[in-house]
Amino acid sequence: MIYDIKFTPGTDQDAERGLLAFVRMCYGPLVVDGVTLRRTRAGSLTLSWPSRTDRSGARHALVRPLNDSAREELEAAVFAELRRQEAGQ
């Protein structure tokens, strides 16, 4: 269950590179922070998941969806909350 979704807008400079906001959400008993909401060059919204880079330059996900079904569920919840918040403004 995904709940308590919060958005922190990126800067204008971030938006020029497609980063619209930072996302924090609760998923069951966990807080997932550091997810970014991005707009692709094609114009669609997507989520990017936090990762770290090791000494050799390889990236390792800190948290990520288990599979496409989980990704779709998470995106649907975040995008629905985004629409809800935008409509309330």
Side-chain angles (χ1 to χ4, degrees):
M1 171 182 218
I2 302 152
Y3 60 98
D4 196 26
I5 301 169
K6 306 279 188 212
F7 299 95
T8 302
T11 65
D12 290 340
Q13 196 172 27
D14 290 333
E16 289 174 8
R17 294 177 308 203
L19 190 156
L20 304 178
F22 297 92
V23 182
R24 176 189 176 276
M25 67 186 98
C26 294
Y27 186 78
L30 300 175
V31 174
V32 180
D33 205 350
V35 177
T36 57
L37 174 66
R38 297 180 176 272
R39 184 167 309 280
T40 66
R41 287 187 179 147
S44 61
L45 294 176
T46 189
L47 298 177
S48 294
W49 299 88
S51 63
R52 67 173 185 81
T53 304
D54 67 20
R55 287 187 216 177
S56 63
R59 293 184 69 185
H60 303 276
L62 298 175
V63 62
R64 64 180 172 79
L66 182 61
N67 52 38
D68 279 343
S69 177
R71 179 187 53 77
E72 290 169 359
E73 176 186 345
L74 290 160
E75 286 178 347
V78 170
F79 300 161
E81 179 62 16
L82 179 65
R83 286 189 300 273
R84 189 190 71 73
Q85 288 186 23
E86 286 177 339
Q89 291 181 358

